[in-house]
Amino acid sequence: MQPGSDLSLAGNFQNSGAADLGFGTIYLLGNTLQTIGGITQTIFNNIQLISAITGEALKLEYDIELRGTLHMNQGKFNLDDYSVYMGTTGVVSNESNTARIYGGSGELKTERVLAANSTYNNIAGIGISITTGAVSPGATIIERGFASQEAGTVNNSILRYFDIEPSTNASLDATLRMNYFDDELTDTDGVNPNEVDLIPWRSEDLGLTWEGQFYPAQISRDVAANWVELNQIPAFSRWTLSDWQTEPLPIELLSFTATAVEEAVHLEWVTATETNNDFFSIERSQDAKQFDEILKKPGAGNSVLPLEYEAYDTAPLQGISYYRLRQTDFNGTSEVSPVVAVRFDGQSDKLQAFRNVKGRLALRSELEEGGTYAIEVFSLNGKLLYRKKLAVSEGLTVSDSGFKLPADAIYLVRVTGVDNETVKVFKLY
C-alpha cells in the first residue's frame, strides 16, 4: 500500500514494520470483529468504521496515532487498554451511544492550544467543551479515559473521566462541560447513578482522592443531551461525573464555601459520608500560608447520608481572607479541604439589593469606588433564576436590573465583584 492511498479492509490490520499511511483513509468493513495490531505504533490519517455488526466491531492490539478523523459509522471501538494518540489534529466524529469508544485503561489523547476568552466546543470530538476566562491556558493536553473512578467495588463514577493539563493552570475562571453516553451510566456495583444528581468531581492525585463540586449555582445540566457543566473553575486536573446522593466518590467533603454576609463571613460545607469523624475546625489566614484555628464544630461520627453544616466568623479580617476546613477523626488523624477566599470590606451597609416600587430587583451603592458587579437571584433551594452585570458609579447610585421579583416567595441575591469574589449575599422577602 502506497502512503496516501485508500484501503478497504474486511479483515485485521497488522503492522510488522513502520507503517505511515500518509493522507489516505482506511475503511473497516468487516462483518466480524476486526483488530489493529502489530509490533509498532501505526500512523493513520483517516479511519472509517463501517462495520456490518452493531456490537464490538474494532479492537486495538497496539497503540495507534491518528492525524485525521476517526469516523464512527456503525459498531463499537474497544481500545482494550491501548490508546489513540491524536496530537494537535486528530478528531473523532459521529460517536454515539450505539457507535462509541470504550476500553479499560485505554485513552484518547489530544493536545490543543486554548486562548483567553474563547469557547471550544467538543474538543477533538471527545466529548469535552471548555470556555476560558481572561487567563489563557495555552497548550493543553486532554485525555479521555473510560474506567470508572471508584473506591473498591462501590461508589463508582460514570465510565468516563478527563485528565486536563494546561500550560497555565491558575486563576483560569473557566467553564467545563462534560458529555457522556447513557451506556456509561451502567455501574459495576449494580447501583446506577441518577442523572439529575450527577455533579462534577475533581482529583489532583489521578483519582486517589476526590473533591465533589457541589455548587448548585455554578452547575447546569441537560439530561436529554447528556451533559453536565460547571463554571468558575480556577484550575484543571482529573474530572469525572458521579451521583452525589447515591454514588459519592471516596472523599467525605462535597463542598466548602465562604461568603461575606452582613457583618460576618458565612461558612458552609456538605459531607457525603463520615467515618469516625470527631470534629471540624475552621482555619483562617490572611496570606493563604499561615492558618489559625478560629472555631470548631462537632462531627456526626459515622454517617452514610449527605450532611450540611454552617458556621459564622463574626470577627472577620478586613480585605481578602482565606479559609480551610480541617476534619479530625477520633484517633487524632486529620485532613484539610482546599482553600477558599472571600473579601470582607466592612462596607456591607453601603451596598444594598432591594425590590423597588415597580417590583424589580435593584442595586443601590454608596461605595466610594465605582465598578461592575454581577447580581444573581436564587431560589431557597439553590436554583439560579436570574443573572446580570450592573455598573455602579462612585458615590450614591441606583441600578435597575429589569428583573421582576414575584412577591410570594423568599429569594437569595448574591452580588459578586469583577474579581469573582462574593461581596454580599442578601435575603429578599
Side-chain angles (χ1 to χ4, degrees):
M1 176 181 177
Q2 296 296 320
S5 301
D6 294 341
L7 173 66
S8 295
L9 185 66
N12 299 327
F13 183 97
Q14 290 290 312
N15 175 11
S16 299
D20 181 345
L21 302 190
F23 295 99
T25 298
I26 180 170
Y27 296 89
L28 300 173
L29 309 170
N31 54 18
T32 58
L33 174 65
Q34 295 179 264
T35 62
I36 295 178
I39 61 173
T40 187
Q41 183 172 302
T42 305
I43 301 174
F44 291 92
N45 183 41
N46 300 321
I47 300 175
Q48 291 259 1
L49 181 56
I50 315 175
S51 175
I53 59 178
T54 57
E56 182 186 21
L58 176 63
K59 184 169 72 173
L60 285 188
E61 294 180 343
Y62 206 92
D63 294 340
I64 65 172
E65 180 178 340
L66 177 73
R67 294 178 177 174
T69 300
L70 166 60
H71 192 81
M72 303 289 294
N73 290 280
Q74 179 172 293
K76 295 180 180 179
F77 184 4
N78 182 5
L79 300 184
D80 197 28
D81 298 331
Y82 293 98
S83 294
V84 179
Y85 295 87
M86 304 168 65
T88 60
T89 58
V91 175
V92 175
S93 71
N94 206 44
E95 188 182 10
S96 66
N97 191 59
T98 57
R100 67 181 180 91
I101 304 169
Y102 66 98
S105 62
E107 295 182 325
L108 299 175
K109 304 182 178 184
T110 187
E111 181 177 343
R112 296 294 191 267
V113 176
L114 306 182
N117 298 315
S118 302
T119 297
Y120 300 89
N121 291 318
N122 196 16
I123 298 171
I126 63 175
I128 184 173
S129 300
I130 295 175
T131 297
T132 59
V135 175
S136 170
T140 302
I141 298 172
I142 303 173
E143 301 175 351
R144 171 182 156 196
F146 305 88
S148 174
Q149 306 299 288
E150 61 186 14
T153 58
V154 297
N155 299 333
N156 305 290
S157 75
I158 67 170
L159 296 173
R160 178 180 294 208
Y161 67 86
F162 291 96
D163 285 329
I164 309 170
E165 185 180 345
S167 298
T168 300
N169 199 25
S171 303
L172 295 181
D173 189 25
T175 296
L176 171 66
R177 176 179 293 186
M178 290 179 282
N179 289 80
Y180 59 91
F181 294 122
D182 288 335
D183 283 357
E184 291 174 328
L185 297 171
T186 302
D187 210 337
T188 57
D189 66 0
V191 181
N192 293 343
N194 187 344
E195 285 186 80
V196 299
D197 290 324
L198 287 178
I199 66 167
W201 294 70
R202 66 171 297 181
S203 172
E204 295 183 328
D205 51 18
L206 297 178
L208 294 178
T209 59
W210 290 88
E211 301 167 12
Q213 307 300 293
F214 186 68
Y215 307 119
Q218 296 173 224
I219 296 174
S220 56
R221 59 173 58 82
D222 189 324
V223 174
N226 296 111
W227 58 258
V228 177
E229 183 176 278
L230 177 70
N231 59 35
Q232 301 179 36
I233 295 174
F236 285 122
S237 53
R238 174 169 290 190
W239 293 78
T240 190
L241 298 172
S242 189
D243 180 341
W244 74 277
Q245 294 271 23
T246 63
E247 294 282 66
L249 289 174
I251 185 173
E252 296 173 353
L253 189 66
L254 282 172
S255 67
F256 175 54
T257 60
T259 306
V261 289
E262 300 301 334
E263 301 303 323
V265 171
H266 187 203
L267 302 151
E268 297 178 282
W269 62 98
V270 180
T271 61
T273 61
E274 297 183 29
T275 304
N276 298 322
N277 180 22
D278 189 3
F279 62 89
F280 296 100
S281 305
I282 298 293
E283 299 177 345
R284 184 182 67 191
S285 172
Q286 203 160 26
D287 59 6
K289 297 178 182 178
Q290 180 64 44
F291 284 84
D292 298 311
E293 180 183 302
I294 60 171
L295 57 90
K296 286 184 178 180
K297 193 88 169 181
N302 295 282
S303 172
V304 295
L305 298 175
L307 297 176
E308 299 179 358
Y309 295 86
E310 68 174 351
Y312 287 88
D313 179 4
T314 57
L317 302 175
Q318 294 293 310
I320 297 177
S321 297
Y322 302 89
Y323 293 85
R324 69 185 186 188
L325 181 70
R326 181 180 297 274
Q327 178 267 320
T328 302
D329 290 343
F330 290 115
N331 62 8
T333 61
S334 65
E335 296 182 357
V336 295
S337 73
V339 175
V340 297
V342 64
R343 184 176 65 194
F344 185 84
D345 57 17
Q347 303 185 80
S348 60
D349 59 327
K350 295 184 178 181
L351 187 65
Q352 295 291 332
F354 63 99
R355 184 187 282 109
N356 63 19
V357 293
K358 297 181 180 179
R360 293 175 177 173
L361 176 66
L363 184 66
R364 177 190 292 118
S365 172
E366 297 180 35
L367 299 177
E368 295 179 358
E369 296 181 357
T372 300
Y373 295 87
I375 186 167
E376 299 168 299
V377 180
F378 300 90
S379 64
L380 285 184
N381 63 8
K383 181 180 180 181
L384 179 63
L385 304 176
Y386 176 80
R387 188 178 194 276
K388 186 177 182 179
K389 290 185 177 180
L390 295 178
V392 297
S393 304
E394 297 180 6
L396 179 62
T397 180
V398 177
S399 295
D400 188 338
S401 71
F403 177 68
K404 190 167 184 178
L405 278 169
D408 57 350
I410 301 174
Y411 302 91
L412 296 178
V413 179
R414 181 170 66 187
V415 180
T416 307
V418 293
D419 53 4
N420 290 317
E421 292 175 359
T422 298
V423 177
K424 191 173 181 183
V425 175
F426 306 87
K427 185 177 287 187
L428 294 183
Y429 298 87

